[in-house]
Amino acid sequence: MAISTADFKNGMCIEYNGKLCTIVEFQHVKPGKGGAFVRTKLKDIKTGRVIDNTFNAGVKVESVRLESKKLQYLYNDGADFNFMDNDTYEQTAIPADVVGDASQWLKENDEATLLYAGDELISIGPQMFVELEVTHTEPGFKGDTATNTTKPATLETGVELQVPTFVEIGDILQIDTRDGRFIKRV
């Protein structure tokens, strides 16, 4: 559906130069001399790259309808990640290269949000906070809690991150998936 620059809203998805982009920020500008224009910051959905672009006022662009589905992650069979729709019990196999970095936060039976533009899968987002068990870490030393020292720890999904020295093997940790930060011990 073609929309005008007057209809722009933050978060809207448009097709620009053959790529799907979301509008991060926009500003209508009416200079004293010349025609009005719209300054935008567009984020490429697939690469995450943000570009600045200027549209003349009234230009038509294609709007893309995005649909998100919450699916339950079942298992990884080596080549594909398998998800299930909890309403229809329909299973979907998604190749590992499409899942990408989200795979390090997916634990069996957790929910994930799949973003579709029409029939095309654009991205997979794990939950914002996940609880994962520590499978390997070096022991902390007694009395080593006075400073903000950290040590590497490997979690059950295979991801390695920095945690405080009091964390031990078997602890369940809450992790922020947006930046991979340790939040708290559960």
Side-chain angles (χ1 to χ4, degrees), residues 103-165:
S103 65
Q104 63 188 355
W105 309 117
L106 291 175
K107 188 171 86 170
E108 291 180 2
N109 300 323
D110 278 354
E111 278 195 347
T113 304
L114 281 68
L115 188 63
Y116 289 92
D119 292 335
E120 181 185 0
L121 176 64
I122 294 174
S123 69
I124 297 174
Q127 296 175 358
M128 191 178 300
F129 298 102
V130 293
E131 294 178 358
L132 299 171
E133 183 179 351
V134 177
T135 57
H136 177 70
T137 188
E138 298 298 320
F141 297 107
K142 191 170 182 88
D144 198 10
T145 58
T147 61
N148 284 337
T149 56
T150 59
K151 62 182 180 178
T154 305
L155 304 179
E156 64 185 287
T157 58
V159 67
E160 187 173 297
L161 63 121
Q162 294 293 318
V163 297
T165 55

Side-chain angles (χ1 to χ4, degrees), residues 31-45:
K33 203 177 201 183
F37 58 90
V38 179
R39 264 191 214 116
T40 61
K41 285 189 179 187
L42 303 174
K43 181 176 183 177
D44 188 324
I45 290 180

Side-chain angles (χ1 to χ4, degrees), residues 5 45 60 87:
T5 56
I45 290 180
K60 300 276 187 191
D87 297 330

